[in-house]
Amino acid sequence: PFGPSPPEDLFRVLYLAHLRPVKEPRLIGEALALLPPGSRIHVDHYGVAEDEELGRWARELTTTSNSRYRWRGPVERGQVPSLLAASHVSINVSSVEGGANAIAESLVGGTPVLVSDIPANLGMVGPDYSGVFPQGSAQSLAELLLRTEQDVSFLGNLRTAAKNRGKEFTPKAERQAWRDLLQDRPKS
């Protein structure tokens, strides 16, 4: 449904997460409600409704007139790279995470990702990454989304940081990390 690059008429934000409480999807709705009317930000959310109540919430928000949010349901893993390429940024707003594949895929693809400041997310994006907001803060998320939409330099810096960090998540880098780890272990 999307082209090979982000659209010019809106600012597309990709959210890849199943609908369940620890993924905090309602925070996105709260943040979007804080955006000024002139903002071009729209969120496309892909994931399975693992929680029935959150599924109802997502369907309702999607059908609200003038909604900036669209829950699009499940996505095939093979479609993720093209969805990322067609988005300006992706987001991860989780309250608990063990290391999200969606963050790694975004970084490897060079798509900036905005993340909550939980330890696993910070470990993935690195200590100096600027696309971080306090977990659970709709206001901070809204402000960060607006900054990425309006500040071309900031978005460019995030894109560069994502590409640089993404090099650490490639299969080649992973194989090398395993080799390094196994060489450093004590012999028995």
Side-chain angles (χ1 to χ4, degrees), residues 101-133:
N101 286 338
I103 293 174
E105 290 170 315
S106 193
L107 295 173
V108 168
T111 300
V113 56
L114 308 181
V115 299
S116 56
D117 64 355
I118 62 172
N121 291 352
L122 295 176
M124 292 185 79
V125 298
D128 299 325
Y129 190 74
S130 301
V132 178
F133 65 94

Side-chain angles (χ1 to χ4, degrees), residues 59-81:
R59 282 187 291 279
E60 286 175 19
L61 188 57
T62 296
T63 59
T64 302
S65 64
N66 299 321
S67 179
R68 297 174 179 274
Y69 171 92
R70 292 286 180 259
W71 176 47
R72 299 192 179 271
V75 64
E76 297 292 326
R77 182 162 297 282
Q79 294 176 304
V80 171

